[in-house]
Amino acid sequence: QEQLVESGGGSVQAGGSLRLSCTASDYIYFNDWMGWFRLAPGNQREGVATIYPSTGRTHYADSVKGRFTISQDNAKNMVYLQMNSLKPEDTAMYYCAAAPPPVALMSVLKTDAYKLWGQGTQVTVSS
């Protein structure tokens, strides 16, 4: 059974940094878009960043551009989300997810495109 395994997260003060990691099987990693989403209380799940490991193409939500970086390690089938200059509003449960192709560019950060989800990891940013 395919699964996504996340690690990282935790609690930091505003301005701090955290790195999330997500690993997948070869089939998922080299075929799917790998994205990070977040869900904060009272909000809808939001696409944060995504990467297509086969090409390295990335997309970001406007709210995190310049602060978050999504990257890959093909040797480990790992996708990372480096989060810098964290703000209290970044507090949420963060999920790794995989979207099988084809995915329209307008949908790469849309929840509906993603079919496989990790268990989530909490990120808390205090002011």
Side-chain angles (χ1 to χ4, degrees), residues 14-31:
S17 299
L18 285 171
R19 189 178 79 161
L20 308 181
S21 303
C22 175
T23 188
S25 67
D26 280 352
Y27 180 81
I28 295 293
Y29 182 84
F30 288 108
N31 285 277

Side-chain angles (χ1 to χ4, degrees), residues 24-102:
S25 67
D26 280 352
Y27 180 81
I28 295 293
Y29 182 84
F30 288 108
N31 285 277
D32 290 12
W33 284 87
M34 299 287 295
W36 286 98
F37 290 75
R38 64 187 181 187
L39 180 61
N43 292 352
Q44 291 186 333
R45 192 170 296 193
E46 173 191 20
V48 174
T50 190
I51 188 168
Y52 192 53
S54 291
T55 63
R57 187 167 186 172
T58 60
H59 294 273
Y60 294 90
D62 288 343
S63 58
V64 305
K65 281 181 181 176
R67 300 189 299 122
F68 291 10
T69 302
I70 191 169
S71 62
Q72 63 190 91
D73 184 337
N74 292 348
K76 298 179 180 180
N77 288 9
M78 195 78 78
V79 172
Y80 302 101
L81 184 67
Q82 178 67 42
M83 305 183 292
N84 298 329
S85 302
L86 281 161
K87 305 175 182 179
E89 52 263 43
D90 294 317
T91 295
M93 185 73 77
Y94 283 71
Y95 297 89
C96 178

